[in-house]
Amino acid sequence: MLRRDYAERDYLIKFLTAEFGKKMFLVRGAKKRGYKMAADILPFTIGEYVGDISDDGLSYIRSARDTTQFLGISTDIFKNAYATYIMSLIDLAFPDGQPVGQWYELVARALELIDQDQNPAIITNVIELQLLPTFGVAQEWRQCAVCGRTDLPFDYSESYGGLLCQAHWSLDPHRLHLDARTIFFLRQLSAVNLNQVGHIDIKPATQKNLRRVLDLIYNNAVGVHPKAKRFIDQMASWEGRLKKK
Ligand SMILES: [Zn+2]
């Protein structure tokens, strides 16, 4: 959820809900000392909320129960950056007030995995890959985008919007020349069910390649640059600097 100040004592908070998709709620008196739902409305909290829903005017939250804050995400700057980026992508992908279907569960699961020490970069890659159809730029990761073959080595082609088999590599002089391991994970992560996922281990070099492919797709085809993503890019450059020393 996104929190914003509203009037002296109130917060305006954007929730991702299972029923109504993203929705802005006014939480009255939330800034008063001793406010009884103070813990329920912290960022990265999940739970059941009761309130009044209005389609055109303001909606209100009245009470909450069974709320849990993702503590790992709230206290770790790296986890927080990736979780914030995932929420920004969801915010950009869906209009407010429109149900998001399976994405409510998927986001909740992604946050849970990041909270529990799964590699946040990899979980973020899964969300980025699986959100592409919602952004209207579905990529072909199952088979060759030209002939449908699956038995030859693949490469990724931006202009064909997906994989090209070796027989069709000549069609795109700008294909990415990706190694087999990166292709393997692009195919796996684009189809993986986060509810069934155990620990995913991917070598740093391959993670870097996945980041490169997704940056290309998100910069060129999707065309969104959330602020949270720029922060992740900065963190990557700090890591590079730390390692050089
Ligand atoms: Zn082909």
Side-chain angles (χ1 to χ4, degrees):
M1 62 176 100
L2 299 165
R3 225 152 76 140
R4 199 185 294 166
D5 287 350
Y6 184 84
E8 210 175 307
R9 335 175 106 198
D10 309 333
Y11 274 124
L12 210 45
I13 303 183
K14 196 183 241 182
F15 283 77
L16 180 64
T17 72
E19 299 86 351
F20 310 101
K22 298 177 302 158
K23 198 145 183 76
M24 195 72 92
F25 289 88
L26 184 66
V27 189
R28 280 209 164 123
K31 285 197 259 176
K32 277 192 293 189
R33 251 205 296 177
Y35 174 65
K36 65 175 167 43
M37 289 199 297
D40 301 317
I41 58 165
L42 291 170
F44 297 111
T45 300
I46 190 166
E48 283 178 44
Y49 296 82
V50 177
D52 303 318
I53 301 286
S54 159
D55 288 333
D56 34 14
L58 280 170
S59 298
Y60 297 88
I61 293 286
R62 297 202 179 283
S63 63
R65 68 170 190 211
D66 296 334
T67 58
T68 318
Q69 193 193 21
F70 292 113
L71 275 180
I73 291 174
S74 304
T75 54
D76 179 313
I77 189 171
F78 289 92
K79 291 180 181 186
N80 196 288
Y82 283 102
T84 303
Y85 173 51
I86 287 174
M87 296 312 285
S88 309
L89 287 181
I90 294 294
D91 201 21
L92 290 162
F94 297 95
D96 285 357
Q98 178 188 297
V100 296
Q102 55 155 0
W103 277 98
Y104 178 82
E105 291 296 334
L106 270 177
V107 167
R109 179 66 180 148
L111 296 182
E112 192 186 342
L113 289 168
I114 290 175
D115 200 61
Q116 294 164 359
D117 287 336
Q118 275 274 8
N119 184 329
I122 297 172
I123 300 302
T124 299
N125 289 159
V126 171
I127 296 292
E128 290 174 306
L129 281 162
Q130 297 189 6
L131 260 184
L132 289 174
T134 307
F135 280 117
V137 290
Q139 305 291 298
E140 179 56 82
W141 301 117
R142 284 164 305 172
Q143 53 190 24
C144 173
V146 174
C147 69
R149 277 181 86 151
T150 56
D151 58 331
L152 293 174
F154 285 124
D155 195 3
Y156 173 73
S157 160
E158 208 185 350
S159 48
Y160 283 86
L163 303 176
L164 285 185
C165 78
Q166 198 166 13
H168 288 107
W169 284 356
S170 58
L171 289 176
D172 183 4
H174 302 297
R175 68 190 173 86
L176 293 194
H177 297 271
L178 295 173
D179 60 296
R181 202 185 293 267
T182 303
I183 294 285
F184 171 82
F185 281 110
L186 282 168
R187 300 184 76 201
Q188 291 290 314
L189 300 184
S190 66
V192 75
N193 179 346
L194 280 182
N195 287 314
Q196 292 166 3
V197 94
H199 186 74
I200 312 175
D201 198 16
I202 303 181
K203 290 189 170 153
T206 307
Q207 285 185 44
K208 213 173 237 179
N209 288 336
L210 292 170
R211 191 63 267 149
R212 177 180 156 227
V213 176
L214 281 158
D215 279 349
L216 199 77
I217 297 173
Y218 269 80
N219 288 334
N220 299 344
V222 181
V224 301
H225 309 87
K227 200 160 62 173
K229 176 58 171 56
R230 295 203 289 276
F231 183 64
I232 291 172
D233 294 342
Q234 281 173 359
M235 293 194 309
S237 74
W238 301 336
E239 276 175 38
R241 251 174 279 160
L242 291 175
K243 267 177 212 152
K244 263 178 233 158
K245 279 176 187 170

